[in-house]
Amino acid sequence: MKYVTNGKVAIMGAAGAVGSNIAQSLLATGTANRIAMYDPFAAGVEGAAAEIEHCAFPQADVTWTANAAEALDGAMFVLSSGGAPRREGMTREDLLRGNAEIAAQLGADIADHAPDVQLVVVVFNPADITGLVTLVHSGLPPTRVTTLAALDSTRLQARLAGHFRIAQHRVTGCRTYGGHGQEMALYKRDTRIDGVSLNDIVAGLETVNGVTLNTDDWSTIRADVVNGGARIIRLRGRSSFQSPGHLTALMVKAAAGGESFSWPCGAYLTGVPYHHVMMAMPVDLGPTGVRWSLPSGDDAEHAELDAAYAHVEALREETIDMGLLPAQTQWGSSNRHLA
Ligand SMILES: NC(=O)c1ccc[n+]([C@@H]2O[C@H](COP(=O)([O-])OP(=O)(O)OC[C@H]3O[C@@H](n4cnc5c(N)ncnc54)[C@H](O)[C@@H]3O)[C@@H](O)[C@H]2O)c1
């Protein structure tokens, strides 16, 4: 078995549902075999590592520790789902205080123990903020810190496949940008249902499989995507973990030089029209990190993205007001790349 990278991958929060699934997916997808599993819950991470050993993946080199420095030391990739998950009725933003404090510590630990890391993927919520806080405290260039932001797009793909009663892979070009929260922008210009433009279907010009989709249906689908995570919590009694685990592993695969990752990822934005936030954008993800670009869309889609940006920006200001993030003018003193 050949893995895309033999570099060390540190998983923070590895006793948890997402973290342990990231470890499993890294091995199962042939992405990485050297995995350091860290969690402050020592017995839990020992158990999670034992489970991975019991999978008997070839050439797996999996260690566990309750010492963050030990896990981070020499890491090529740092993936963190180490933080509280949402419970029923909570928004991602409700998690803000506790998880922003964890993110600040994570960033400082990376600065101390893994300053040469190639890519950091922040998964714990609210990821737009925890990713930004981690970046500010890590001292890393913005190209080397990203967030898992693909799930809203994969949920849109699955939802459309269900609507048209076709296989999921026949729905292409599903992209949501902006916040990974209650405000996101659904860009449907490039969405194709079995090769047919979704915009043409919504305009009443086309059908697929004898199925139509009007603007009311689109509004319902949009709401279902925004509430996609809450649906999993309602159905399973806990927040999603298989899909974030798998998609995070695929992000590492692309960053390590393997198969490309076409879903949106979190990127730190500066310049016009979005300033000093981390949010989901179209990106190139590869060995040099994350490079973002503005999405193409119509006026309504851009207005949705502006609204999503305003929401992330307000959350950033709230985080600053709560004393969990320095004022933006101070970021350069902990991270020279943000000066
Ligand atoms: N970005 C996304 O798309 C996405 C999707 C699903 C879940 N999430 C988020 O991922 C996070 C983890 O979810 P989960 O279901 O694995 O939760 P979980 O409760 O199963 O696991 C969290 C783990 O983090 C550990 N932890 C606590 N403090 C820590 C610290 N300071 N450093 C490292 N680890 C620490 C806990 O001991 C626990 O083992 C949550 O914040 C959840 O909201 C994000």
Side-chain angles (χ1 to χ4, degrees), residues 8-27 34-53 61-68 70-72 77-85 102 106 121 123-124 238 241 245 248:
K8 178 177 174 179
V9 184
I11 303 176
M12 319 305 279
V18 175
S20 54
N21 271 266
I22 294 175
Q24 180 146 345
S25 285
L26 285 170
L27 287 152
R34 242 183 99 203
I35 301 172
M37 299 175 72
Y38 161 75
D39 201 290
F41 176 28
V45 73
E46 179 180 356
E51 283 247 56
I52 299 293
E53 285 166 10
D61 174 2
V62 177
T63 56
W64 66 268
T65 179
N67 180 323
E70 189 182 316
L72 291 170
F77 297 98
V78 174
L79 320 174
S80 185
S81 57
I102 291 176
L106 173 67
V121 184
V123 179
F124 60 115
R238 56 147 307 122
F241 56 96
T248 304

Side-chain angles (χ1 to χ4, degrees), residues 93-105:
E93 288 77 9
D94 291 335
L95 294 174
L96 182 62
R97 176 170 288 282
N99 285 355
E101 284 169 357
I102 291 176
Q105 186 60 49

